[in-house]
Amino acid sequence: MSVMTAPLKLEDLEDRSFDPFMVEKLSHGSTADPYPTIHAAMAKGPVHKGAYRDLFDAVPDVQMAGLNHYVVLGYDLIQQVLLDPQTFTNREAFEHNLGRSFGHTVTVMDGEEHARFRRIFQRAFLPQVVAKWGETVVDPVVDRLMGAFIQRGEADLVADFTHHYPFQVIYRQLELEPEQAPIFHKLAIAQLLSSIGAPQGQEASRKLGDFFAGLLTLRRAQPGSDLVSHLATVEVDGERLPDDVLIAFLRQLMNAGGDTTYRGTSVLLTGLLTHPDQLAAVAADRSLIPQAIDEALRWEGPVASTWRHAARDVTLAGVDIPQGAIVNVVLASANRDPAKFPDPDRFDIFRDRSVRPLPFATGPHVCIGQHLAKVEMTRALNAVLDRLPNLRLDPDKPAPDIVGHILRVPEHIHVRFDPA
Amino acid sequence: MKQWMCLNCGWAYDEAVGDPSAGIAPGTRWEDIPDTWRCPDCGAAKSEFDMVEV
Ligand code: HEM
Ligand SMILES: [Zn+2]
């Protein structure tokens, strides 16, 4: 029996007509601009009883319903919560939602266990490692996508570009067969439905898990230089990563790494295109790209909020929070805290940078993929600036509008440029 | 170039920049940072850092 040549099976959902993308849209929140609400709540104080979603028109989150929720707003208090992992833990906050979708991933771990596995994964995503992927993995994807529209002189940079490239980067890292990509993407979104109780969620998680188990067997039999081979064979203190932890991480990638980067890049392009002077400055001086990315993710961080569990009774800003409560940390409020970022709603790549924005959170669970995300966004922006001369918003189409209060994104970025 | 890097999150210490928000002035050598100092990005201890080629 040849393990190497066995085709990897990726099974579609039983119900072929089920559209997870539609359901996904609903769960991202409908409030167009959450910032006036966030500012108003912040002005009343940094801690409120209730969930972040309750500030808007709540979408039912059946696994979370009935839990004791508190919202934490503002930079200082959010930093305090996220840097105190003994008091504010992850497992209880995530095991019933994200943990059901992905399994035993780093997000649902705490303490020593988290630190041990986290270091192994982070090592595969350190800046000096991901820098190499810019050329080998990201550029080919970006070039192919842009090649399809540079002759047109007009494009929707979301539909034609940002909505695809971070996912295709992941497909390349997994060395996924191109014809499997649509089912893979569908399952990756469908698995999230576990958190709203849809049965297709568990079905998708199982099917992705079977697929990844097969992939691990394949890569262990014949390791290459790819990411999965590395993770499947890496040893720390003489031990390999357990399959359940590794498979859960791979399940999480599309969501944690694909969806976020698609949104982040869309926001970056929106910020620059709606501020043509800043776009021109970056086009002329590419050393401004890192600060443009930082500002875009501060201004419209794709992950507006996250959660922790109070492991003990604790008082925050004078509000007593009982043990067992869920603490909803609104990263979007830290990044628009007027005490840290003057005129916080303004997009300004030249603003003072002495306070670090928190779009990737902070503390032990800070984003593992932040260095990769920056490499991807840098490559994407450079390609846009190099290959779409005289780039500007299309005056005949609606301007990009960033919407949603959970994961924010513009639905379209209609542009014109000089065709190649 | 070699740099001290946090292995929990990938944050690199740049002596020229220091870590002013934690009272570490620009130009402070790595050896002179107190052991109580923590990674500004993830809160890991100074002992979590390693010298890496970047
Ligand atoms: C602009 C793009 C991205 C944004 C805004 C973002 C944001 C975040 C945030 C806010 C967290 C922390 C959540 C919490 O502590 O509750 C996080 C964690 C994480 N991110 Fe990202 N992320 C991005 C890209 C990526 C990429 C490209 C990857 C791919 C490797 C990735 C993988 C992860 C993982 C595995 C975690 C969990 C870390 C842990 O719990 O220890 N992210 N991300
Ligand atoms: Zn760190």
Side-chain angles (χ1 to χ4, degrees):
Chain A
M1 188 197 83
S2 164
V3 117
M4 286 82 83
T5 55
L8 273 184
K9 270 209 298 229
L10 184 61
E11 268 181 50
D12 201 347
L13 294 173
E14 290 291 319
D15 177 0
R16 298 290 152 94
S17 66
F18 182 73
D19 179 8
F21 297 96
M22 195 52 227
V23 185
E24 184 207 24
K25 241 193 172 109
L26 295 175
S27 67
H28 284 163
S30 56
T31 302
D33 181 2
Y35 289 103
T37 308
I38 291 174
H39 281 309
M42 224 182 335
K44 286 193 216 138
V47 181
H48 300 260
K49 182 113 177 47
Y52 173 65
R53 285 176 186 223
D54 297 342
L55 297 176
F56 309 96
D57 54 345
V59 175
D61 185 349
V62 294
Q63 319 306 338
M64 286 287 214
L67 291 175
N68 211 355
H69 277 263
Y70 291 81
V71 172
V72 174
L73 304 168
Y75 192 97
D76 287 335
L77 214 56
I78 284 173
Q79 197 176 35
Q80 182 188 325
V81 167
L82 293 175
L83 286 170
D84 182 0
Q86 269 86 34
T87 308
F88 300 101
T89 57
N90 274 48
R91 183 167 67 81
E92 294 88 342
F94 289 109
E95 64 185 345
H96 299 297
N97 42 69
L98 182 154
R100 283 179 160 227
S101 299
F102 304 141
H104 196 45
T105 176
V106 281
T107 306
V108 297
M109 298 180 193
D110 291 303
E112 255 315 296
E113 184 192 37
H114 174 255
R116 185 156 49 96
F117 291 130
R118 157 104 194 180
R119 272 195 296 268
I120 302 173
F121 287 115
Q122 184 66 76
R123 194 178 281 273
F125 292 89
L126 286 175
Q128 65 274 27
V129 176
V130 299
K132 299 187 187 117
W133 298 343
E135 217 174 295
T136 58
V137 182
V138 183
D139 279 356
V141 165
V142 167
D143 286 348
R144 209 180 51 77
L145 283 168
M146 296 199 81
F149 66 80
I150 50 173
Q151 302 82 0
R152 276 209 319 253
E154 59 175 11
D156 174 356
L157 291 179
V158 174
D160 291 321
F161 183 52
T162 61
H163 195 41
H164 304 286
Y165 92 95
F167 301 104
Q168 294 190 5
V169 164
I170 294 170
Y171 303 154
R172 272 183 87 94
Q173 289 180 312
L174 301 180
E175 297 183 1
L176 195 72
E177 308 284 339
E179 59 274 19
Q180 289 182 320
I183 295 181
F184 188 83
H185 198 159
K186 182 167 155 187
L187 292 178
I189 290 183
Q191 63 176 342
L192 303 176
L193 300 174
S194 288
S195 71
I196 57 166
Q200 287 85 353
Q202 292 299 294
E203 184 191 351
S205 295
R206 185 166 42 76
K207 288 179 170 168
L208 280 173
D210 292 345
F211 174 78
F212 286 132
L215 188 63
L216 294 182
T217 309
L218 214 60
R219 294 288 180 267
R220 282 183 185 135
Q222 206 176 46
S225 56
D226 60 296
L227 174 70
V228 178
S229 294
H230 168 77
L231 292 174
T233 56
V234 67
E235 287 190 7
V236 176
D237 304 328
E239 261 184 274
R240 279 186 178 169
L241 281 168
D243 278 6
D244 67 327
V245 173
L246 183 42
I247 288 172
F249 182 85
L250 294 172
R251 279 202 193 98
Q252 190 170 6
L253 263 190
M254 286 284 281
N255 175 243
D259 213 33
T260 49
T261 307
Y262 137 61
R263 290 161 198 278
T265 309
S266 307
V267 159
L268 171 66
L269 294 172
T270 301
L272 291 172
L273 282 158
T274 54
H275 298 78
D277 49 329
Q278 297 184 45
L279 177 68
V282 176
D285 178 2
R286 304 299 170 88
S287 73
L288 295 174
I289 288 180
Q291 70 198 67
I293 292 174
D294 286 352
E295 174 63 355
L297 296 177
R298 178 200 70 79
W299 180 58
E300 285 287 4
V303 183
S305 110
T306 185
W307 296 266
R308 293 294 184 265
H309 162 260
R312 60 175 175 84
D313 291 346
V314 56
T315 305
L316 281 181
V319 177
D320 292 331
I321 296 179
Q323 181 191 348
I326 293 294
V327 177
N328 213 168
V329 177
V330 184
L331 297 172
S333 74
N335 291 333
R336 297 235 190 164
D337 186 336
K340 302 290 176 180
F341 306 103
D343 198 358
D345 297 332
R346 204 183 56 193
F347 175 81
D348 177 7
I349 66 169
F350 298 108
R351 70 169 57 242
D352 179 274
R353 301 177 77 210
S354 54
V355 180
R356 293 176 327 113
L358 307 177
F360 298 105
T362 185
H365 290 272
V366 68
C367 181
I368 281 181
Q370 59 172 316
H371 313 291
L372 174 58
K374 287 176 183 172
V375 166
E376 293 187 66
M377 291 172 70
T378 302
R379 297 276 164 165
L381 180 54
N382 264 319
V384 164
L385 296 174
D386 288 341
R387 302 187 65 185
L388 308 180
N390 194 19
L391 180 71
R392 65 226 182 251
L393 290 176
D394 188 333
D396 300 330
K397 302 235 171 84
D401 191 12
I402 301 169
V403 293
H405 63 270
I406 300 165
L407 290 165
R408 290 173 58 67
V409 77
E411 284 184 28
H412 307 279
I413 304 176
H414 297 292
V415 293
R416 297 246 189 111
F417 46 89
D418 298 343
Chain B
M1 187 183 67
K2 291 197 157 197
Q3 251 182 337
W4 286 97
M5 184 179 285
C6 174
L7 296 187
N8 185 63
C9 77
W11 187 84
Y13 179 71
D14 181 345
E15 290 192 346
V17 179
D19 180 15
S21 61
I24 308 290
T28 305
R29 288 180 316 170
W30 178 253
E31 305 80 80
D32 297 334
I33 297 178
D35 287 340
T36 50
W37 175 84
R38 298 191 151 260
C39 172
D41 218 14
C42 78
K46 192 182 170 189
S47 58
E48 293 286 323
F49 280 65
D50 209 351
M51 184 68 105
V52 300
E53 188 74 44
V54 291

